Amino acid sequence: MTSPRQSPPYSLPLALTLGEPAGIGPEITLKAWLARKSEALPVFFAIGPVALYRQLADALGLDVPVQAISDPSEAASGFDNALPVLAIELDAGVESGKLAPANARAVMRSIDMACDFALGGRAGGLVTNPIHKRALYEAGLQVPGHTEYLAARTGGQTPVMMLSCPGLRVVPVTVHEPLARVPALLTAAVIVEKGLILGHALRRDLGIARPRIAVAGLNPHAGEEGHIGREEIDIIAPAIEAIRREGFDVSGPLPPDTMFHAGARARYDAALCMYHDQALIPLKTIDFERGVNTTLGLPVVRTSPDHGTALDIAGRGIAHPGSLIEALKLAAEIARNRAAA
């Protein structure tokens, strides 16, 4: 069944997870559906409680009809007229901005269902609304995060987190680690592994035939030839040579303070960074409201808005849907490229 919004060979709807029900996920889901025509969005369906979306739409004055569906195949036919929602039940009521750990299992059930639909060829991919890990922990669920959870659920691949916005793609080699531990965690093998996953994803998922990868140094001025640290000489440069031998156009190690201005960004397709903030600060500075988190290296397509649950503004009608809109667009693009390949 091919939606009129999509061109073959891509024809499957995207599965959008519930996320933290007390956060802004339900609100930006409603607003994304409202933007479906102006943004030329692909067909998607939400997995969550039908009543929650209906009640929130009424409370916020959003003209979003909600249509309950029982299978992903039903999403496309009515998408122009109503938000399709594949119903799951919550274990507790929802009050915007206030966590209810009793709902944690429904949050995880939504993720599991979306993942299984994608694995089974019933959804083109999954787009995950933000979760609140403390609520999951308090419910007894040890989930380090979407990225690690989905990697384990889909076969244990090495997951690579790519953040993107219009004009920049970045991959941090180390992610949620204390800065003091980063030098010890950096090895040539780790940089090569993530660099190759990035390079192959740029080709397969984004259709870039000859991807250009810029690699950041760790130290100020990329170590200044060993005068401000030797990681660039001993670890990063050998890793770059290994990635280059696999046929990729790789430059670096580059001084991190000069590689993110507009002219520098025009010379590469993605930047491989050494730690979390080195990658995310420039991206969120360039375009905070349209950042997307994509998990590379999985057998399924997965994107997510690059922001949290925003409990402080939940239910107030002021949440910006831009990041979710971009996540939906990118998931559809990757799904189309994978299908074409």
Side-chain angles (χ1 to χ4, degrees):
M1 175 169 49
T2 302
S3 165
R5 298 180 174 276
Q6 303 152 335
S7 57
Y10 178 69
S11 61
L12 295 172
L14 298 172
L16 177 59
T17 69
L18 169 64
E20 170 52 51
I24 63 171
E27 178 181 335
I28 60 177
T29 296
L30 296 170
K31 290 179 175 178
W33 183 83
L34 281 174
R36 67 200 181 283
K37 293 181 180 179
S38 62
E39 296 287 347
L41 290 185
V43 172
F44 65 89
F45 63 96
I47 302 176
V50 173
L52 172 63
Y53 296 105
R54 286 177 174 163
Q55 291 166 6
L56 185 61
D58 289 342
L60 298 180
L62 299 175
D63 184 17
V64 182
V66 175
Q67 177 64 50
I69 62 173
S70 58
D71 188 83
S73 63
E74 301 170 19
S77 61
F79 184 73
D80 279 343
N81 301 314
L83 171 68
V85 177
L86 201 154
I88 60 172
E89 297 302 320
L90 297 177
D91 295 312
V94 175
E95 184 176 353
S96 293
K98 294 188 178 181
L99 296 174
N103 285 327
R105 297 196 181 280
V107 172
M108 295 310 300
R109 192 180 317 127
S110 174
I111 297 169
D112 290 341
M113 290 174 67
C115 184
D116 290 346
F117 287 143
L119 281 171
R122 300 169 68 192
L126 62 154
V127 178
T128 55
N129 264 313
I131 57 175
H132 199 289
K133 288 187 279 189
R134 178 166 65 84
L136 302 181
Y137 295 155
E138 290 177 3
L141 300 174
Q142 295 302 310
V143 181
H146 274 121
T147 300
E148 299 85 354
Y149 182 79
L150 290 169
R153 187 173 178 83
T154 59
Q157 303 87 352
T158 298
V160 171
M161 183 174 74
M162 182 180 78
L163 293 307
S164 60
C165 71
L168 181 62
R169 303 180 187 95
V170 292
V171 167
V173 174
T174 62
V175 186
H176 298 125
E177 300 289 350
L179 192 56
R181 293 189 59 205
V182 168
L185 293 171
L186 283 177
T187 66
V190 169
I191 296 171
V192 170
E193 181 181 34
K194 296 201 172 184
L196 291 178
I197 291 173
L198 170 60
H200 289 299
L202 292 172
R203 283 178 178 166
R204 180 184 69 162
D205 293 346
L206 297 175
I208 302 172
R210 296 181 60 82
R212 302 163 300 165
I213 300 172
V215 181
L218 173 67
N219 298 296
H221 303 173
E224 211 166 80
E225 298 182 343
H227 295 291
I228 317 179
R230 291 194 55 86
E231 285 85 1
E232 286 78 11
I233 295 170
D234 297 337
I235 299 170
I236 302 174
I240 289 172
E241 286 303 316
I243 299 170
R244 194 174 286 139
R245 286 195 296 271
E246 295 296 322
F248 291 103
D249 181 353
V250 192
S251 58
L254 301 175
D257 63 341
T258 60
M259 63 181 286
F260 294 110
H261 64 83
R265 297 198 312 270
R267 296 193 289 268
Y268 58 82
D269 299 300
L272 191 63
C273 301
M274 296 302 108
Y275 56 94
H276 181 276
D277 284 11
Q278 188 184 67
L280 271 70
I281 287 174
L283 183 125
K284 292 191 176 185
T285 300
I286 291 168
D287 199 333
F288 183 80
E289 292 184 335
R290 291 191 291 173
V292 178
N293 182 348
T294 304
T295 305
L296 308 180
L298 298 182
V300 297
V301 176
R302 181 262 170 159
T303 65
S304 180
D306 185 31
H307 58 67
T309 56
L311 294 173
D312 58 324
I313 64 169
R316 294 169 56 189
I318 61 175
H320 196 290
S323 187
L324 176 58
I325 287 169
E326 295 301 320
L328 288 161
K329 289 180 180 179
L330 183 55
E333 178 186 353
I334 294 172
R336 282 193 296 268
N337 286 332
R338 287 193 181 187

